[in-house]
Amino acid sequence: MNHRSRARVRRRLRSLALLELINIPLQAAIWFGELGFPVTAANAAGFALFSLLLLEGAAYWWAKLRQMEVPRAPLPGARAFAALRVLNIPVLLAGVAFTVWAVAGDPGRGTIPGAGFALFAVLEHVNYFHTQLMYDNRADRRRLRRHGLRPAHLARDLALAGARGGGPT
């Protein structure tokens, strides 16, 4: 990869990490501030799951940026990401179950956004740890049309780290 390509990839990784982090307070301000949805247990639980997955995503993009500093280096924090891939499942299941239960008991502004955030967190987990769901540039969309869905970047990095023996923590 030439210098310009590396610089472009670095900018993209930084941008992805920062956007994940910016989205947490931005979405809180929009949903709970501007739109006035109440901060109930269900809405807070769903938003917490959403925020957790965005933090994990930001951590991954920062780790990927650090990985670029040393050619063929393992992904920093690969073991932690591998643990999160497993630990997220019961947390997400519990959060979705709670928010859906809350919606069933009292559907409205105090519960539905929380269920939406929880479901979005599940999609983020899939997007990061399993199958890439986000196709936000021309090259990705072209590849999607030609070859279909592909494994997520983090999933590929974790598979590679497993083949290398786990990588650093």
Side-chain angles (χ1 to χ4, degrees):
M1 185 181 306
N2 67 35
H3 178 70
R4 268 191 202 161
S5 295
R6 289 180 67 79
R8 193 171 29 252
V9 170
R10 279 191 181 102
R11 277 193 308 275
R12 172 107 170 115
L13 294 173
R14 255 194 249 43
S15 171
L16 289 168
L18 288 172
L19 287 172
E20 297 291 44
L21 294 174
I22 290 168
N23 254 314
I24 297 168
L26 176 65
Q27 294 301 320
I30 290 169
W31 292 94
F32 301 116
E34 193 64 31
L35 297 175
F37 285 97
V39 181
T40 61
N43 286 347
F47 191 81
L49 291 174
F50 164 78
S51 298
L52 174 66
L53 267 293
L54 290 181
L55 288 171
E56 290 174 11
Y60 170 65
W61 296 122
W62 286 121
K64 196 71 180 157
L65 186 60
R66 283 188 37 223
Q67 182 186 29
M68 287 187 69
E69 294 171 6
V70 179
R72 296 192 227 348
L75 179 70
R79 287 188 187 132
F81 289 116
L84 288 170
R85 178 177 54 193
V86 174
L87 295 172
N88 280 347
I89 302 297
V91 172
L92 289 168
L93 286 172
V96 168
F98 171 70
T99 58
V100 168
W101 171 80
V103 168
D106 185 20
R109 295 174 55 83
T111 57
I112 292 173
F117 281 122
L119 292 173
F120 188 78
V122 170
L123 291 174
E124 282 290 296
H125 176 82
V126 170
N127 184 53
Y128 274 111
F129 292 97
H130 302 285
T131 303
Q132 183 178 343
L133 300 176
M134 180 67 171
Y135 295 88
D136 63 345
N137 62 61
R138 187 174 294 140
D140 276 352
R141 288 188 298 273
R142 187 174 33 246
R143 188 187 187 293
L144 175 63
R145 283 191 303 277
R146 289 184 181 152
H147 304 287
L149 295 173
R150 70 180 188 181
H153 292 280
L154 178 53
R156 288 180 283 172
D157 282 339
L158 292 178
L160 185 59
R164 288 181 175 167
T169 55

